Amino acid sequence: MPFDRRHAARRFIQPCCQGQQQSRLVSLFPVHPLAQIIAFLSGGFILSVSLPDPAIAQIVAQAPADSQTSTARQYYNIPAGPLASALRSLASSAGLLLTFTEDQISGKTTGGLRGQYTVQEALAHLLGNSGLQVTRLANGSYVVQKMSTIELSPANVTLPLMTVSAPTLKQGTAEEGYLVSNVSGVGLWDERSLRDTPYSISVVPSDLIENVNAQNMGQIFKMNPLTQEPMIQNQTGVPFVTIRGFQTITPIYDGIPLYSNGSAISVIEIDRVEILSGTSGFLYGGGRVGGAVNYVTKNSTDVPLRRLTFGNYGGTQFYGHADIGGKFDDRGRFGYRANLLYQGGDTAIGEPVNQKVANIVLDGHITDTLYANVKYTYNDYSKEATSPFIYMTERTSIDTSKRYTPKWASNDVESHKAYTSLRWDPSKHFTLRSAFFYQHTNMRVNQIFLNEQIDRTFIPRMTNVPWNKHENYGGYIYLDTRFSTFAVDHKLTLGYSSTFHEMFLRGINNVSRSGINLSLSEIKNMSEPDWGASFGSEPLASAWTVRNNNILIGDNITFNDQWSAMVGLNYATTMNLGYGFYGDGSKYEKSALSPTVSLLYKPIEAVTTYVSYMEALEAGTRVGNTYTNYGEVLPPLISKQYEVGLKYDINPNLLLSTALFRIEKANQFSDQATPIPTYVQDGLQVHNGVELVLTGKVTDNLTIMGGGTLMDINVEKANNPALEGKKPTNAASRMGKIYAEYALPWVPGLNLTGGIYYTGEKYGNTTNTDKIPSYTLYDIGARYTTRVLDKALTVRLNVINLTGKDYWQNDYTLGVPRTVAFSASMMF
């Protein structure tokens, strides 16, 4: 029978544990063979034992050499929160032998740690005024004690009843059930514990993205219980994600909001995706009523990384990906990371794709208190035979395994992104954080729109947008101050953030041509129309400018171990200016104060409950030239959200999150009048709902990411009585999803994977006469990890949409066909 460390640990420990009281995981050790045996017991719970002195001595004596060095300085980044979590993080980073009892640390918190410290300094800083101190034994191990306790020596130490756990090297790995304990930062709030953040957040780590062979983030959002499967925008590759019934089209890049046009993001530059479910106006400024998606990019690695991946995204789309990282110097102060991708071939339905990506990262600790990084990404993406937008009066079944467009219907994107950030910790009372982002993008697109006729033929409308230019700027600067008023601790943050996007077009922007009635099978043989000899030769001129500015103040208040609060104000300003198709050249500028307040209560250490309120400013629409009220600027919108939530660490590798919410938003839509409609702002759109997410390891071998969303969404108030009670478009009120991995205990290294994803029905128009059917998708896969020539090798196979289900992602976009993807990654 194959060796199983956890089962072996039970056999080793149970004979000396009969009748002992059960205890929670409270003590941390590095990955020593004996420590492994004791550590990996089921679910993080084991029988408490008093280990015999010889066994203790063996564990202590064989500690890694670097854990014996107390004078070496190392950079730590540990957020404020529970003392137990902070000690685990420190022990993981430093490779410590650290022992403490559950009674000692129960209910205690710490202000966190950031900067260069020796081990002794770091421990003392975390323990602070907790009434505890740490003693370093002659053998290099550490013991937490009450301050009145005399210093111990190896000869007279009797360790308390305890359990042990091997430290982890990285959050979000498959071995940890893809669970991430900290978020990188939410708006002006700095890095903090995911469980102690009063918002509904789901984190997708890079390990999961790689293990499902995701070509783009569409696959990940399809799997996530908080998001609908999105349409991937042809021009940029950015998903149009629907969260809590509202579409989010503007991504966040390392904490800086961007605009969808010109903001192409490749999966190989992503370290994790933090999905915030709910209104985020206070955090990021205008818009994002339903939620926000923060793409956190990769940094240098603490240990050398050399990995090559070869694979296929489906059809003949073969690719190669190199991921290289490490440190330049022995002290680990300066690091690097490089990700390179080349992809070419046809998709599963014969759409030619070519992509080249280069992502370079340099970062380091310039001094013990100053950290900086620089990131650059080049992305060259082209696709032919892009999927058409199909408008049908009836939702008849269309075979998604077929291609319906000619190859000349294509798009091209060339993008340069540069990002830099700086963090300065001059003292324990102050932190300065800043970042700046710039992106330059050139793109072009030929798009086909198909309008169904009574005889089930289609009249194609073809649009050509010649090469145009987009520029995105963004940045923030935040100052954190820490102080106490009587017994209340504060972390006050003052800051400013701004984003700017300008689009440059040629002349009249685009040319459209209409064709004759054709069947679907005939459309892919259409010839490219004559766009005009002079079309696209005009010089570039600014056509659309938009800017969002935010002046922010927030206070993270800790009353005691159980009660805390987060309050803030954002004076948000939104401005836009458009010409031609986008407006008459008049400037639109509105400002509003967006408040937020959250109250957190922890009845026990493993549970955090919260209530929160947040507002968001959203610019009123500048009506386009396809409506009777062309040029009109509708009033700005103020959206409000109320939320109650609970987060529970069922065990150290399993987190349950649930939330009740209500979002109120002014309604904007086309009244669909004939022959020319009017774009109106009419009534109040209300979304009430509940969501639940369970992420992590249910057992030693079973990992799941599952949950669901249930909403009551409708227009509650409207001047037009016909709209009251109607559902908003493209918003499913029911979703239920589960992704699971099972490690076969009798075949070491082999994991079976799969998922079931249900999305309820939705509507394609405001009158709810166009119903988009519900659908259920199935994925299966397998992953095998082994060693070849003493190098780690991982092979992955995934079948997406196993049954070949024909479905609609939204009112005009078809779903993803059955696709078989595979890859092999090897360290070198």
Side-chain angles (χ1 to χ4, degrees), residues 551-595:
I551 302 173
L552 306 104
I553 181 172
D555 194 3
N556 186 4
I557 308 168
T558 302
F559 299 103
N560 53 44
D561 292 344
Q562 292 183 302
W563 290 95
S564 61
M566 297 168 66
V567 297
L569 292 173
N570 179 357
Y571 184 71
T573 300
T574 180
M575 181 277 291
N576 62 61
L577 181 65
Y579 301 92
F581 177 84
Y582 296 95
D584 58 3
S586 60
K587 182 179 179 181
Y588 175 96
E589 183 170 346
K590 297 293 181 181
S591 300
L593 198 62
S594 301

Side-chain angles (χ1 to χ4, degrees), residues 109-237:
T109 59
T110 178
L113 183 71
R114 188 182 296 273
Q116 293 271 354
Y117 297 91
T118 66
V119 167
Q120 197 83 23
E121 290 171 345
L123 287 167
H125 193 93
L126 287 180
L127 294 175
N129 59 358
S130 64
L132 301 172
Q133 66 181 14
V134 66
T135 298
R136 183 175 187 268
L137 307 182
N139 51 36
S141 64
Y142 291 84
V143 177
V144 175
Q145 312 163 259
K146 291 183 179 179
M147 284 190 173
S148 59
T149 305
I150 63 170
E151 186 173 353
L152 301 177
S153 66
N156 61 18
V157 168
T158 301
L159 292 179
L161 299 183
M162 63 183 181
T163 64
V164 293
S165 169
T168 57
L169 296 177
K170 178 186 174 185
Q171 294 188 64
T173 61
E175 291 74 20
E176 293 180 325
Y178 303 116
L179 186 64
V180 173
S181 59
N182 294 336
V183 289
S184 65
V186 186
L188 87 166
W189 309 120
D190 197 7
E191 180 180 352
R192 57 186 293 118
S193 164
L194 173 61
R195 179 162 57 82
D196 295 332
T197 301
Y199 314 121
S200 178
I201 298 178
S202 176
V203 181
V204 181
S206 58
D207 264 24
L208 181 58
I209 297 173
E210 294 169 359
N211 285 338
V212 298
N213 284 313
Q215 178 179 5
N216 52 52
M217 287 306 301
Q219 170 73 355
I220 295 299
F221 292 123
K222 179 192 76 174
M223 298 164 55
N224 192 283
L226 304 181
T227 58
Q228 292 179 203
E229 180 181 5
M231 176 196 79
I232 303 297
Q233 188 188 37
N234 281 340
Q235 291 94 322
T236 68

Side-chain angles (χ1 to χ4, degrees), residues 604-685:
I604 59 175
E605 174 59 30
V607 174
T608 299
T609 63
Y610 66 89
V611 294
S612 69
Y613 172 79
M614 191 176 295
E615 290 185 5
L617 169 68
E618 186 177 7
T621 297
R622 185 186 295 269
V623 180
N625 61 7
T626 57
Y627 298 96
T628 59
N629 54 335
Y630 164 60
E632 180 183 355
V633 179
L634 300 181
L637 313 174
I638 300 293
S639 300
K640 302 177 181 180
Q641 176 181 271
Y642 310 85
E643 182 170 325
V644 179
L646 178 146
K647 300 180 183 182
Y648 173 36
D649 278 329
I650 299 175
N651 66 49
N653 285 322
L654 185 63
L655 175 65
L656 172 68
S657 301
T658 185
L660 296 168
F661 60 88
R662 176 182 175 88
I663 300 176
E664 300 174 355
K665 176 185 179 297
N667 202 21
Q668 296 185 127
F669 57 90
S670 166
D671 67 359
Q672 298 190 351
T674 56
I676 303 176
T678 301
Y679 200 81
V680 298
Q681 193 179 89
D682 184 10
L684 186 67
Q685 186 174 325

Side-chain angles (χ1 to χ4, degrees), residues 233 235-240 248-253 256-267 269-270 288 293 295 377 379 413-417 437-443 468-473 500-502:
Q233 188 188 37
Q235 291 94 322
T236 68
V238 174
F240 282 10
T248 299
I249 64 175
T250 50
I252 314 293
Y253 188 91
I256 300 176
L258 304 181
Y259 293 90
S260 59
N261 287 335
S263 54
I265 299 173
S266 168
V267 292
E269 61 186 297
I270 298 172
R288 301 177 186 85
V293 179
Y295 296 95
T377 304
N379 193 337
V413 180
E414 184 181 31
S415 167
H416 299 266
K417 294 196 296 285
F437 173 90
Y438 170 73
Q439 181 175 38
H440 173 97
T441 303
N442 293 319
M443 62 174 64
N468 55 84
K469 183 177 73 172
H470 299 261
E471 290 191 344
N472 269 310
Y473 301 84
F500 173 86
H501 170 246
E502 187 168 17

